[in-house]
Amino acid sequence: MSALIQVREATQVFGTRTIFRDVSFGIDQGEVFVILGGSGCGKSTLLKQMIGLLPPTAGEITVASYSVNTQVEEVRRHIGVMFQSGALFGSMNLQENVSLPLAVFTDLPKEACAEIARLKLGLVGLTEAASRLPSEISGGMVKRAAIARALALDPPILMLDEPSAGLDPVTSAGLDRLILGLRDSLGTTFVVVTHELASIMAIADRCAMLDAKAQGLIALGKPQDLKQTATDPTVRAFFHRETL
Amino acid sequence: MLALPVNLRLLRRSDFGVIAERAGLQALPLVLVLGFLIGMILAFQSAVPMRQFGADLYVADLVTIALCRELGPLLVAVILAGRTGSAYAAELGTMQVNDEISALVTMGINPTTMLVLPRIAAAMMVMPALTVAMDAAGLTGMASVLAAFGYPFSAIKAHITILSAPGDFLQGLLKGVVFAAAVALIGCRAGLTASGGPRAVGQAATAAVVGGIVATVLLDGLFAVILYRLHL
């Protein structure tokens, strides 16, 4: 079976600075795949390449057999994205935020869009907050609402950029449970960018580790395996919280 | 603007109303005060030297033509650049920095259609009203100075209409609409191209004001040449 998402020799160079080079891996359907690594290693840059916001300097990425380089519109029909800040629209309440993609891309009447939005907010436990503005809710609720918006059009793939960033451990663990719950109930494939070890161990089926010094991929596999068997000092240091 | 009719689903009437209110209604007091003062200053500064030739009543003609053809739309455009252009840049710049623009793009929604076109349309819609308000306030300021010099309002009113024609007034309105489109476009562009964190928002606002004012003056010069060539 071919991978749902295929990254082939992805490279990103800004001017004279190489962020990463020749990164390759595949992500299977229904997997929770984590891209991890220290600050500045290019995790979010790789995610931007995968969602078509940044054309790779070299290499190719395909999502559901569509090339991100040449068929980005088709790719975007298959993905939902949650950005690090949540990126909810401040002038709209949560229900309107979630309704937006439905109002634009479906012919459903306004009431039906609102009803679906309420259902999606229910999936992330925010039914009661549907009429509140993003500025009136907590950081954790913003992230959950952003996931609900990303789910609005039932994409088979969700890409999350640092979902735990800025959250307390309890809220972060709740978000991890939500990701696993959505994967199990909807069969959604998740690509998660994070450097939170607790989250990685809790949710990742497999992970890819990038490193700024190596300018590329230094580890690929199940997090438990990497923790136990990795010989690379950077990988060991990350999983065992050691100082290099 | 051509994309607007086919993307009407992206337009939120409530948002458009808020944008138009901020650009127009909230700018009205400033426009009225500045217009009145500019009218007074122009009248006073012109009246003193013209009085030496016994022509101080012609100040009414001078100020009317200057305001309606030139200064009215120009000053409103400067106000628009300072208030609305910078606000557009700050709003869109903040959205850019917070990844809201990226979120729209990944949803397949064109940010230009959803965010830029309503702002340009709102600025173009409120500009004629603000220009009329500026002209009216300026003429009132001028009339108050001439009244203080002892001229009756009937004489001032007559002079306002002797040399100036409706064409002068309409020219000003046309210029104003073009200036508004330029100011709004530059403000939105500055916001959408902001990058590099919160500092970029301030830089975008500055770029919007400077760019808006420079563009307005350049366009005004272009209008002057074109209208001269057309004998208007």
Side-chain angles (χ1 to χ4, degrees), chain B residues 123-169:
Chain B
M124 291 171 74
M125 194 181 80
V126 301
M127 188 66 173
L130 290 177
T131 306
V132 170
M134 171 66 84
D135 292 348
L139 294 181
T140 308
M142 174 268 292
S144 66
V145 168
L146 290 184
F149 283 172
Y151 289 101
F153 276 109
S154 55
I156 299 166
K157 190 182 159 200
H159 270 267
I160 286 175
T161 52
I162 283 175
L163 287 182
S164 58
D168 297 321
F169 177 69

Side-chain angles (χ1 to χ4, degrees), chain B residues 189-217:
Chain B
R189 187 183 179 281
L192 288 177
T193 53
S195 63
R199 199 174 175 184
V201 177
Q203 289 168 341
T206 307
V209 176
V210 174
I213 292 172
V214 170
T216 298
V217 174

Side-chain angles (χ1 to χ4, degrees), chain A residues 51 53 76 81 83 85 87-89 91-92 96 101 103-106 108 149, chain B residues 9-10 12 15 95 97-109 114:
Chain A
I51 60 181
L53 283 180
R76 284 179 180 152
V81 184
F83 289 88
S85 64
L88 297 179
F89 305 113
S91 62
M92 302 179 192
E96 290 168 334
V104 174
F105 292 108
T106 68
L108 294 170
R149 187 178 65 184
Chain B
R9 288 183 76 114
L10 290 175
R12 287 160 39 90
D15 280 357
M95 290 182 79
V97 169
N98 288 340
D99 284 328
E100 290 170 44
I101 305 291
S102 297
L104 282 177
V105 173
T106 53
M107 278 189 252
I109 298 171
M114 187 174 167

Side-chain angles (χ1 to χ4, degrees), chain A residues 2-235:
Chain A
S2 64
L4 183 62
I5 302 171
Q6 191 71 57
V7 179
R8 290 189 198 91
E9 297 176 351
T11 298
Q12 189 63 52
V13 179
F14 292 120
T16 55
R17 187 172 161 233
T18 301
I19 307 299
F20 51 76
R21 190 174 289 284
D22 297 332
V23 171
S24 299
F25 55 80
I27 301 171
D28 294 327
Q29 190 168 355
E31 221 181 356
V32 177
F33 189 89
V34 171
I35 301 170
L36 61 99
S39 300
C41 67
K43 305 185 292 289
S44 296
T45 304
L46 180 58
L47 191 79
K48 280 184 181 169
Q49 288 186 348
M50 293 168 80
I51 60 181
L53 283 180
L54 187 68
T57 310
E60 193 188 28
I61 297 169
T62 56
V63 175
S65 303
Y66 294 106
S67 166
V68 177
N69 298 4
T70 55
Q71 297 163 293
V72 72
E73 296 303 323
E74 283 82 359
V75 168
R76 284 179 180 152
R77 280 191 206 118
H78 288 80
I79 61 171
V81 184
M82 192 212 81
F83 289 88
Q84 190 172 344
S85 64
L88 297 179
F89 305 113
S91 62
M92 302 179 192
N93 65 30
L94 300 194
Q95 185 184 297
E96 290 168 334
N97 262 286
V98 179
S99 297
L100 181 66
L102 294 161
V104 174
F105 292 108
T106 68
D107 293 324
L108 294 170
K110 206 175 174 183
E111 295 73 28
C113 292
E115 186 54 37
I116 294 171
R118 276 194 291 275
L119 285 173
K120 300 294 179 188
L121 284 168
L123 279 177
V124 298
L126 287 176
T127 312
E128 303 297 314
S131 59
R132 287 159 77 176
L133 291 170
S135 58
E136 297 169 344
I137 58 175
S138 69
M141 291 166 86
V142 166
K143 303 260 174 146
R144 283 191 281 150
I147 289 177
R149 187 178 65 184
L151 283 168
L153 293 168
D154 296 321
I157 302 163
L158 273 194
M159 301 203 183
L160 316 181
D161 188 8
E162 305 267 14
S164 317
L167 301 182
D168 64 81
V170 176
T171 310
S172 178
L175 209 56
D176 292 342
R177 282 196 297 276
L178 174 65
I179 291 169
L180 292 176
L182 290 173
R183 192 270 306 266
D184 294 340
S185 58
L186 305 176
T188 309
T189 303
F190 280 87
V191 180
V192 182
V193 166
T194 185
H195 54 212
E196 300 284 340
L197 186 57
S199 282
I200 294 164
M201 299 311 288
I203 63 172
D205 292 317
R206 284 192 309 138
C207 54
M209 185 168 183
L210 301 180
D211 181 53
K213 271 189 197 164
Q215 295 179 340
L217 191 67
I218 55 168
L220 180 66
K222 294 181 178 178
Q224 293 79 7
D225 293 348
L226 294 180
K227 186 174 181 179
Q228 286 167 8
T229 62
T231 51
D232 185 289
T234 309
V235 180

